[in-house]
Amino acid sequence: MVRKCTSCKENKAILKRPKTLDLLCKPCFFEKFEEEVHETIISNNLFKRGDKVAIGASGGKDSTVLAEVLTILNERYDYGLELFLLSVDEGIKGYRDDSLETVKRNQQTYKIPLKIVSYKELYDWTMDEIVKIIGLKNNCTFCGVFRRQALDRGATLLGADKIVTGHNADDIAETILMNILRGDIARLKRCASITTGVGATLPRCKPFKYTYEKEIVMYAYFKKLDYFSTECIYSPMAYRGYAREFLKELEISRSQSIIDIIHAGENMSFNVKTKMPVQKNCEKCGYITSQKYCKACVLLEGLNKGNPRVSIGRSKSYQTPLKPQNEFQPPVSITSYDKSININNDNNNGNNNNDNN
């Protein structure tokens, strides 16, 4: 027996939505997917007309679908946004170099300017070089800190008003679980927010906050989007993986578990007496931090001294003063970074003809 789409009642249903379990045809699924993202954007006032928006583009399914949907909605509803693709090259051979080729092809597809910043130019280190020194145990700490700051610096070069990332409902639920398990109250308080950095120079938005990862995969698959699907070669030991496995088991028994965890995170109350970090600027590079020096400067100090372990954990050695300025080169300041770099130069746009995929 052929099952009809529960929305249009006419076409043959070809999928069951993981979030609602509705049987839908392709056109109805695309429409519902895009309209739900639109509703999230409008109800949370994520953008205003004229905003310059940098899309964090890794070449993976989430950022590729985000670029596709934002391009469609920007035209359909006349948001009036100026969109850019912003990629970070961490320096991981056989992984990031291949995924960046996907980003370059997408730049040609969507006709959106592309800017690529690299760890090497910002920090004088690549992740391959870092892993050779520290191994696989704490590499995600370094990469996460450097990547976040690299996105901000790239967006500053573009003159962006906001950064949007492809973090989906699964990602946010995982982060809530991780922060509960680690007892990280400061991060737990803000990780469920759809926009972080409100009032800061570069707020970050997550239009896919309520969008299931499985539905993003379905959207990319049925739309035949060009995306890179290989997992980072350094991530198998990441702590997030344990939270992800636990969340998948919960989803099997109850599909609503992901959204329930997000709503729980949104509605958590915290003791007003709990002391929260006060945001200020790093004394070395000017980047936002709650300490005297930002995490990137502290991590770089450890790398440059040949003793990166002092940069990780909460031991007393973590508080070791940084070297004097003439001995230590911090990451390039946002204000001092060469803003004359052309976002459409030969190395950063999609006009290269060396695609490997």
Side-chain angles (χ1 to χ4, degrees):
M1 175 180 164
V2 177
R3 295 193 175 185
K4 296 290 186 180
C5 172
T6 55
S7 180
C8 67
K9 314 293 184 185
E10 296 178 359
N11 298 328
K12 177 184 175 182
I14 63 166
L15 62 89
K16 179 186 286 188
R17 288 193 71 184
K19 184 192 292 187
T20 63
L21 304 182
D22 290 337
L23 296 172
L24 298 175
C25 62
K26 271 201 294 188
C28 287
F29 171 63
F30 293 154
E31 180 184 6
K32 287 184 177 297
F33 185 98
E34 292 160 4
E35 290 306 304
E36 286 179 9
V37 176
H38 170 65
E39 176 59 29
T40 299
I41 290 171
I42 297 302
S43 61
N44 291 278
N45 298 311
L46 296 190
F47 310 119
K48 65 179 184 296
R49 191 171 191 81
D51 275 348
K52 294 182 177 181
V53 179
I55 303 171
S58 66
K61 65 183 185 314
D62 298 313
S63 62
T64 300
V65 172
L66 181 60
E68 168 85 4
V69 172
L70 278 184
T71 301
I72 290 172
L73 296 180
N74 192 35
E75 181 177 346
R76 181 184 297 167
Y77 293 105
D78 192 24
Y79 289 166
L81 304 178
E82 186 176 354
L83 302 176
F84 300 89
L85 294 177
L86 174 60
S87 295
V88 177
D89 181 2
E90 301 94 339
I92 304 175
K93 294 291 184 183
Y95 169 67
R96 183 56 72 209
D97 47 354
D98 289 342
S99 70
L100 286 176
E101 296 304 321
T102 305
V103 174
K104 291 172 184 177
R105 292 195 298 273
N106 285 332
Q107 187 269 337
Q108 293 292 327
T109 299
Y110 301 118
K111 308 300 181 186
I112 300 175
L114 167 64
K115 172 65 185 169
I116 301 174
V117 293
S118 72
Y119 284 8
K120 192 66 176 177
E121 68 176 321
L122 291 176
Y123 312 117
D124 201 29
W125 288 85
T126 67
M127 276 309 299
D128 285 341
E129 293 168 344
I130 292 171
V131 170
K132 283 182 181 179
I133 294 176
I134 68 170
L136 294 174
K137 186 174 182 180
N138 293 308
N139 58 291
C140 288
T141 298
F142 284 82
C143 194
V145 171
F146 290 163
R147 180 176 175 78
R148 180 176 181 84
Q149 194 172 118
L151 278 173
D152 281 352
R153 296 184 188 285
T156 299
L157 287 173
L158 291 169
D161 300 300
K162 290 185 174 71
I163 299 173
V164 292
T165 61
H167 290 94
N168 56 55
D170 300 55
D171 295 326
I172 295 169
E174 290 165 11
T175 303
I176 292 170
L177 290 174
M178 289 166 61
N179 288 326
I180 289 174
L181 294 172
R182 290 187 299 209
D184 194 332
I185 302 301
R187 286 190 175 90
L188 182 59
K189 190 171 183 179
R190 65 175 181 263
C191 70
S193 300
I194 193 166
T195 301
T196 55
V198 177
T201 307
L202 276 170
R204 291 186 179 220
C205 307
K206 295 170 284 219
F208 286 168
K209 177 181 177 181
Y210 301 110
T211 306
Y212 277 29
E213 182 179 43
K214 287 181 179 178
E215 298 199 354
I216 291 174
V217 173
M218 287 181 174
Y219 187 93
Y221 174 77
F222 287 115
K223 278 229 167 181
K224 294 180 171 53
L225 300 184
D226 182 7
Y227 67 93
F228 186 77
S229 59
T230 302
E231 184 180 14
C232 175
I233 59 177
Y234 296 139
S235 69
M237 297 300 293
Y239 182 56
R240 178 176 290 274
Y242 299 105
R244 180 175 295 125
E245 289 301 317
F246 176 61
L247 186 65
K248 294 306 179 188
E249 291 184 13
L250 288 177
E251 187 184 10
I252 290 172
S253 61
R254 188 167 183 273
S255 62
Q256 195 67 17
S257 296
I258 294 173
I259 292 296
D260 287 345
I261 291 172
I262 293 175
H263 289 328
E266 291 172 334
N267 292 292
M268 279 185 181
S269 60
F270 299 88
N271 190 330
V272 292
K273 295 181 181 179
T274 301
K275 187 176 180 180
M276 294 296 178
V278 178
Q279 299 293 338
K280 50 190 175 183
N281 295 108
C282 174
E283 294 186 10
K284 287 289 182 184
C285 71
Y287 190 73
I288 191 167
T289 180
S290 59
Q291 305 295 326
K292 185 175 182 179
Y293 304 109
C294 73
K295 188 69 172 176
C297 282
V298 176
L299 291 174
L300 279 172
E301 167 69 0
L303 285 170
N304 293 331
K305 288 197 306 184
N307 187 18
R309 291 186 181 278
V310 302
S311 305
I312 298 175
R314 299 182 179 179
S315 64
K316 291 183 180 179
S317 61
Y318 178 81
Q319 301 298 329
T320 302
L322 293 177
K323 289 182 179 180
Q325 180 67 40
N326 60 351
E327 298 181 47
F328 168 59
Q329 293 300 317
V332 183
S333 169
I334 289 179
T335 56
S336 66
Y337 197 86
D338 183 10
K339 295 186 178 181
S340 65
I341 296 176
N342 187 342
I343 64 172
N344 290 316
N345 63 42
D346 290 340
N347 292 324
N348 289 336
N349 68 14
N351 295 327
N352 296 11
N353 294 316
N354 59 345
D355 292 351
N356 296 323
N357 292 345

